[in-house]
Amino acid sequence: MSLRMQYTPRSLPSAGWRLTLAAIGLVTLLLASAASRASPALMAASSGPKAAEPRIEVLALFPGRALLRIDGEQVVLRAGERSDHGVVLVSADNTGAVVSWGGRQRELALSRQSGGMQVEAAPQEIRVSPNRLGQYYVPGQINGQPVSFMVDTGASMVAISQRQAQQLGLPYRQGELGSVVTAQGQTQAYYFYLESVEVGGMRAEYVQAAVIEGDYPVDILLGMSFLSQVRLEHDGSILLLQERR
């Protein structure tokens, strides 16, 4: 016994149904397109909150270099360098600094409220504003090594603690052993000469210094053995150091 199968075609959809199907397809395409446009925003939202912009202050200005305080941390950057905070120094001169963070650039002037310094082109001139305690700090170099100085016109010479001298590798024990009176009382000190001291492009050689036993002073004191070789003036609260010519 054979089984006969017969295919009976269904009738085609009416014109109304065809329009309905076309509309459904168009809506589907529009929804897919909207989802594709929304996906970057959704991804950005899912990546977490945007990092807060850091607080940036200019403490010192040099040609092509700047000393910045970024969220409380002092950083020296050359033009084109990036800090660990993601801040890029675009440019710097005696008028100000241009920094970039998060793709945006900002022009910053020297801070006059929390210790600032700028270096003019010629002659070399440093303008230093005091910190909140009325102290003047400047970056510099001892024998080519970067240090931070506290300006002290009451110190007869550059004063360095024994700990700092050892970190800098200074041969102070080759100097003359003597004594010095500090806030902690009388203690031993070694008197010798530094090969060079440089601050803001102003360089002095064969500068007398004292290395004091122990951890005093906490900051390296920029005393008169260097300061006597530059011009010192005050402009209000601003301290000016200018190269002698």
Side-chain angles (χ1 to χ4, degrees), residues 33 46 114 214:
S33 177
S46 63
S114 57

Side-chain angles (χ1 to χ4, degrees), residues 56-106:
I56 307 171
E57 294 178 274
V58 179
L59 302 184
L61 290 169
F62 307 89
R65 190 161 54 101
L67 172 63
L68 307 176
R69 178 184 288 135
I70 306 174
D71 285 344
E73 180 183 351
Q74 293 188 13
V75 181
V76 177
L77 293 179
R78 296 183 183 275
E81 288 184 341
R82 179 189 298 270
S83 75
D84 293 339
H85 313 78
V87 176
V88 177
L89 179 65
V90 179
S91 63
D93 55 29
N94 65 311
T95 62
V98 178
V99 299
S100 174
W101 184 86
R104 293 188 303 166
Q105 289 191 1
R106 293 172 54 192

Side-chain angles (χ1 to χ4, degrees), residues 202-223:
M202 293 179 286
R203 178 185 173 91
E205 297 181 349
Y206 204 57
V207 178
Q208 189 176 20
V211 171
I212 303 171
E213 287 191 345
D215 295 332
Y216 180 87
V218 176
D219 303 296
I220 299 177
L221 304 182
L222 188 64

Side-chain angles (χ1 to χ4, degrees), residues 180-208:
V180 65
V181 178
T182 70
Q184 285 73 35
Q186 185 169 336
T187 185
Q188 288 187 329
Y190 290 87
Y191 298 91
F192 74 116
Y193 287 87
L194 300 168
E195 294 179 7
S196 65
V197 173
E198 184 173 346
V199 174
M202 293 179 286
R203 178 185 173 91
E205 297 181 349
Y206 204 57
V207 178
Q208 189 176 20

Side-chain angles (χ1 to χ4, degrees), residues 84-162:
D84 293 339
H85 313 78
V87 176
V88 177
L89 179 65
V90 179
S91 63
D93 55 29
N94 65 311
T95 62
V98 178
V99 299
S100 174
W101 184 86
R104 293 188 303 166
Q105 289 191 1
R106 293 172 54 192
E107 295 183 4
L108 300 176
L110 180 71
S111 172
R112 299 180 67 89
Q113 298 181 349
S114 57
M117 184 186 78
Q118 72 185 81
V119 180
E120 305 289 346
Q124 297 286 4
E125 181 179 282
I126 305 172
R127 299 174 180 266
V128 191
S129 57
N131 64 9
R132 296 174 180 84
L133 299 178
Q135 302 165 326
Y136 296 90
Y137 283 88
V138 293
Q141 294 184 351
I142 289 179
N143 294 355
Q145 300 187 70
V147 297
S148 177
F149 290 109
M150 185 177 77
V151 179
D152 188 354
T153 56
S156 60
M157 64 189 70
V158 175
I160 313 169
S161 70
Q162 184 180 34

